[in-house]
Amino acid sequence: MNLTALSEIELQFKLERLLAEYVQCIDDDRLEQWPEFFVDRCVYKILALENAARGMPVAAIFCDSKNMLVDRVVSLRKANIYERHQYRHIVSSTIISGVTTRSAKMRSNYAVYRTRGQGVTELYSAGIYEDRVVVVDDCLLLEEKIVIYDTDRIDTLLVTPL
Amino acid sequence: MTISENISTPDDVWPTSASGFCVPYEVFTDKAYYDREQEAIFRGDAWSFVGLEAELPNSGDYKSTFIGETPVLVTRDNDGNINVMQNRCAHRGALVCRERRGNTRRLQCVYHQWAYDLKGQLRGVPFRAGIAGKGGMPEGFDLTEHGLNRLRSASINGLIFATFSRAVVSLEEFLGPMIIASIQRIFNRPIEILGDQRQYIHGNWKLYAENTRDPYHASLLHLFHTTFGLYRSSQTGECLMDGAHRHSMLYAKASSSNTALEREVFKDVRSYDENFKLADSSVLQGRPDFDDGITLVIMALFPNLVIQQIANTLAVRQSVTDGADGFELVWTHFGYLDDDEEMRNIRIKQSNLIGPAGYVSMEDGEAVEIVQKAVRRDRGAGSYIAMGGGVAEDADHLVTESAIIGFWQHYKSMLGIAP
């Protein structure tokens, strides 16, 4: 797949399709498959806007390998204690930039609704995705995903990825 | 006919137990307790943490924060001094500063543009002399009488504390020598702020005060602590208090782990799982920060601060109360200004351990909330705290709840409740 050879509509469609598959994987609780959206040497960060805006590095979650993503999922399943909950991601307004033959960047808005045990749904987190996508073996994978959240007062805790 | 209202007031006699210590659950749910705390503790004879000097490196830097639920401002003035004042305009009570932080020459209320300097002195009032001879302030109006309400403030090794009280003992006396020495150990050289994390916990702030004075839970609730030996109740450590028992200092030495003993001690414990492995264990890799072998420190300072060292993560955690059943926890992570790049990266990666998404800390929010949910209708019933003997004494081990009892005894004395 040569990204520069695709029409603008084809590229937009493919990348938005990737985003849709990514969020549905999380929302369907197929978290064991979630690291498969990333290359082995990836960066995944969930960063508060107030830190991003000041150039400060501390993230709520910071992974610099696919194995660290695997560990987050294994911990969530086996180690951590939290209230059962369900996410629904809404992703929109994706703008693509920096397209090369095998890579592209994209920036999207996201909102995540969380439903906890009592059946109440709340807007849990809003922010942006800054993604860098690469072509590997004719598939689109995430090389970098930076989640910058506006909702920087996290409600209770953050365990399921965004 | 008189209408009698059932106004809840704190019971001045608490339930007792022959073998342990009891805390009536209403302290976590009753507005009467909450209101009394705001006056007697947060507006009373206690020093509250408001920030780190490293957050305000330059003249003109300011931050807005809270003591209990009262908004306050911390500034660094043109002389380089730290000032703490109430964030409330002297005119009609508006917030003077609506930003979390920034740099400014003047603090100006947006409502009527009353302007204050960085020490909180009133410097300007628009239309003071009126317009075209009409209006204006009365003749006796004196700018110097209408500054922002300044609090007493004091710093120790770059930690800023403030109090509304004119009567409270000095900060040094309030903290006591053991806590001061422990602060000086961590804040031994200039720090670099690495970022903040904020979380809102739907529970009473004192449940977190208990949680951070409780070495008993840490091995049982947090699998990461126990399985990876970051903290185990079996490690060498102590649970110490200041003379007034208001603060506590827990520490442990990871190198003291004894695998044979721990296999036996934790054999039926959920949080000890030798089969639990990380695919990328770099998150647990670090370098010793101190040569005393201490790898975990949780200092809980009355009323609103925790100072922590967990492996190579260093942070302060400030509690901001929000009614009886909620509080915000603000984590400020830091390293040392002289950290090399490798050490800085270690701290950034190990930040995965702490904060609202932290492998060893996310469960504390959940622990607070499940108590709050369970006790909301339980006036009269109370908890039972006895691990380690049921008294507030220093312990040379970590199988104790003694510092929780110390906290409550001090709390009762501040609220005027019979001991």
Side-chain angles (χ1 to χ4, degrees), chain B residues 272-289:
Chain B
Y272 185 71
D273 181 357
E274 288 189 359
N275 296 320
F276 187 88
K277 302 263 192 269
L278 293 178
D280 181 343
S281 59
S282 62
V283 70
L284 297 171
Q285 285 158 14
R287 283 175 12 203
D289 261 315

Side-chain angles (χ1 to χ4, degrees), chain B residues 365-376:
Chain B
E366 179 69 7
V368 165
E369 293 190 5
I370 58 176
V371 178
Q372 193 77 25
K373 283 176 184 166
V375 304
R376 63 188 286 186

Side-chain angles (χ1 to χ4, degrees), chain B residues 19-34:
Chain B
S19 60
F21 189 87
C22 298
V23 178
Y25 291 131
E26 65 209 49
V27 301
F28 302 121
T29 57
D30 276 21
K31 188 169 182 303
Y33 267 104
Y34 182 78

Side-chain angles (χ1 to χ4, degrees), chain B residues 289-341:
Chain B
D289 261 315
F290 302 93
D291 53 18
D292 54 14
I294 294 174
T295 48
L296 181 139
V297 171
I298 301 290
M299 293 166 67
L301 269 54
F302 189 92
N304 72 335
L305 177 66
V306 174
I307 303 170
Q308 67 130 81
Q309 169 209 348
I310 297 175
N312 293 114
T313 64
L314 302 170
V316 291
R317 316 174 189 168
Q318 179 191 5
S319 294
V320 177
T321 68
D322 183 31
D325 53 6
F327 68 98
E328 183 181 4
L329 192 60
V330 184
W331 303 65
T332 302
H333 298 232
F334 60 91
Y336 297 110
L337 208 54
D338 63 2
D339 282 343
D340 58 28
E341 194 184 345

Side-chain angles (χ1 to χ4, degrees), chain B residues 374-388:
Chain B
V375 304
R376 63 188 286 186
R377 222 38 253 168
D378 274 322
R379 284 185 72 86
S383 61
Y384 174 69
I385 304 171
M387 184 57 72

Side-chain angles (χ1 to χ4, degrees), chain A residues 4-160:
Chain A
T4 52
L6 297 173
S7 73
E8 213 175 347
I9 288 174
E10 280 176 317
L11 182 63
Q12 185 83 24
F13 176 80
K14 280 181 183 292
L15 291 180
E16 287 195 15
R17 180 68 172 262
L18 175 69
L19 282 166
E21 287 170 354
Y22 174 94
V23 299
Q24 297 244 356
C25 175
I26 295 171
D27 294 353
D28 287 352
D29 196 30
R30 289 181 278 113
L31 295 177
E32 283 70 15
Q33 293 167 27
W34 167 68
E36 300 306 320
F37 284 90
F38 293 83
V39 300
D40 290 346
R41 292 177 60 84
C42 61
V43 170
Y44 174 73
K45 275 195 244 188
I46 301 183
L47 188 63
L49 177 60
E50 76 169 326
N51 291 338
R54 292 183 291 166
M56 288 192 174
V58 158
I61 291 180
F62 167 66
C63 300
D64 62 1
S65 73
K66 184 167 156 182
N67 278 338
M68 285 188 76
L69 304 179
V70 172
D71 291 335
R72 273 280 168 185
V73 174
V74 173
S75 297
L76 168 163
R77 295 287 193 222
K78 294 187 177 163
N80 296 126
I81 306 291
Y82 54 89
E83 188 181 357
R84 189 179 62 79
H85 59 272
Q86 168 76 51
Y87 277 177
R88 289 295 165 207
H89 282 75
I90 313 295
V91 181
S92 75
S93 310
T94 301
I95 303 266
I96 297 165
S97 65
V99 182
T100 71
T101 54
R102 59 171 296 277
S103 71
K105 292 188 219 171
M106 60 177 164
R107 190 177 196 272
S108 314
N109 293 344
Y110 79 86
V112 173
Y113 293 88
R114 182 184 63 181
T115 306
R116 295 217 258 189
Q118 299 299 317
V120 176
T121 302
E122 300 153 314
L123 179 55
Y124 171 66
S125 183
I128 59 167
Y129 285 162
E130 288 185 346
D131 298 326
R132 201 164 71 228
V133 179
V134 290
V135 180
V136 179
D137 297 335
D138 219 37
C139 290
L140 291 168
L141 294 176
L142 291 162
E143 190 172 64
E144 184 174 277
K145 184 171 197 76
I146 315 286
V147 180
I148 299 176
Y149 57 101
D150 306 338
T151 317
D152 62 14
R153 191 168 86 170
I154 290 175
D155 193 64
T156 308
L157 55 78
L158 170 69
V159 62
T160 305

